[in-house]
Amino acid sequence: YRTDRNIPLGIVKEKYTEVQNIDAFGFFDNAIGKDKALWQTAGFFGNGERIFVSAKLPDSIYVNGQDPVDNYLVFTTSHDGSSGVKILLTPIRVICENTLNAAIRNAQSYVSFRHTASVHQNIDMAREILGICKEKTDFLAQEYEAMTKIKMTDQEVNEYFVNLILTETEKQKVLNTGHTFEQLISKNYYAVNDSEVSMKKVNVLHNMREYYEIGPGQKQYLGTGWGAYNAITGYYSNVDNAVGSKRMDSLLYGDKSRKIETAGNLILM
């Protein structure tokens, strides 16, 4: 429970070991160097059942030699037994503030520990975790660079969005009506009506296509995998209507995170 308000946060078992919020901040001091952590965000969900802290890592990725992606470590833990301690690598494309996903080609993007007696000892492995992050950022730099070299036609970009958003049944129904994915994405009345795809999904597809064409930092990467991938990350980061902690929760751990991970893998498959 919170001692300032006496608000119960959860019921846990006897072997549960608490990690105080201050230890989350101490983790970054140990990993990056005392007074050197570049703090980005700190906050909580609900009444404080879960907390998160993020700090910017010193090394950035420069895609194509000029498109910066900053890397952040996000530390999150729960005080209600719902999850353990998780330390997550989160890349963010600077020009558009797109939250990317480090889990590409099945590469894990985080380490996690249970709330047991050894949890504090595990957190003390901070420098080792930072070393792992350096390996991951080097790997991501290669993958992002590879995306810029992948050429995609407008039709292929449309199919890429559709493969992410629609089910196989929905895709087949669009084709069975004789309409094209381009017509569906452009909100052609007959394509939408005949295919019976929900307007919610049609709007997502339409907005992704629009972001692909006119979103920040998109112009020079039109016709490439990097441009198509960032249309999706840009949509979920900057267009989708979730706000506040709900938005961050979904981008880092929820449905948006899974969509962005899948989007990266679809480009590189």
Side-chain angles (χ1 to χ4, degrees):
Y1 64 94
R2 287 181 59 159
T3 55
D4 57 345
R5 300 180 186 176
N6 288 326
I7 296 175
L9 299 179
I11 299 172
V12 296
K13 295 183 179 180
E14 204 171 291
K15 64 180 181 179
Y16 184 90
T17 300
E18 186 56 76
V19 175
Q20 296 295 339
N21 294 346
I22 192 64
D23 293 331
F25 290 87
F27 162 76
F28 287 113
D29 281 336
N30 291 334
I32 301 173
K34 189 168 179 59
D35 300 325
K36 292 183 180 179
L38 300 176
W39 302 103
Q40 177 74 7
T41 310
F44 62 88
F45 302 103
N47 290 314
E49 295 92 335
R50 287 192 297 142
I51 66 107
F52 60 88
V53 199
S54 70
K56 182 177 178 295
L57 296 176
D59 297 322
S60 297
I61 296 169
Y62 288 87
V63 182
N64 205 31
Q66 59 185 1
D67 192 353
V69 175
D70 286 341
N71 294 294
Y72 294 81
L73 273 185
V74 178
F75 180 110
T76 183
T77 185
S78 72
H79 298 311
D80 61 358
S82 61
S83 67
V85 173
K86 185 177 285 188
I87 301 163
L88 180 75
L89 175 63
T90 304
I92 295 180
R93 188 181 179 209
V94 175
I95 193 171
C96 47
E97 297 187 349
N98 289 3
T99 300
L100 311 181
N101 193 306
I104 289 180
R105 293 192 191 272
N106 298 317
Q108 285 292 336
S109 59
Y110 64 89
V111 293
S112 59
F113 315 116
R114 298 178 63 187
H115 281 267
T116 59
S118 63
V119 65
H120 290 280
Q121 181 180 345
N122 287 330
I123 293 173
D124 287 339
M125 297 165 54
R127 291 199 177 278
E128 183 177 339
I129 291 167
L130 199 62
I132 294 171
C133 285
K134 181 63 171 69
E135 292 178 9
K136 288 181 183 294
T137 55
D138 289 345
F139 167 76
L140 290 173
Q142 296 175 10
E143 298 301 290
Y144 295 158
E145 197 69 30
M147 287 185 185
T148 68
K149 304 296 190 293
I150 296 172
K151 303 301 180 184
M152 298 180 70
T153 64
D154 279 352
Q155 182 177 343
E156 289 171 333
V157 170
N158 288 337
E159 290 175 354
Y160 171 61
F161 297 154
V162 164
N163 286 335
L164 183 71
I165 301 302
L166 300 189
T167 66
E168 290 299 323
T169 300
E170 288 170 330
K171 289 190 291 184
Q172 192 57 52
K173 193 161 186 179
V174 173
L175 298 177
N176 289 344
T177 63
H179 298 295
T180 65
F181 294 138
E182 181 182 6
Q183 289 174 314
L184 184 72
I185 291 171
S186 63
K187 295 186 177 182
N188 176 281
Y189 170 80
Y190 297 104
V192 175
N193 186 65
D194 294 347
S195 67
E196 298 179 334
V197 173
S198 73
M199 204 62 213
K200 180 179 179 180
K201 287 189 175 183
V202 171
N203 284 331
V204 170
L205 290 168
H206 180 82
N207 289 335
M208 283 180 176
R209 179 70 203 194
E210 187 174 71
Y211 197 99
Y212 170 73
E213 293 173 346
I214 63 173
Q218 289 295 108
K219 185 176 180 180
Q220 70 186 98
Y221 294 109
L222 292 177
T224 71
W226 183 240
Y229 174 63
N230 275 285
I232 289 168
T233 63
Y235 168 77
Y236 285 119
S237 299
N238 303 308
V239 179
D240 188 60
N241 58 10
V243 296
S245 59
K246 181 179 179 182
R247 171 179 172 274
M248 181 176 180
D249 196 28
S250 185
L251 277 171
L252 293 181
Y253 316 110
D255 182 61
K256 294 179 187 179
S257 172
R258 290 186 288 273
K259 290 287 190 187
I260 293 172
E261 177 183 346
T262 301
N265 289 326
L266 283 174
I267 286 289
L268 294 165
M269 62 186 301

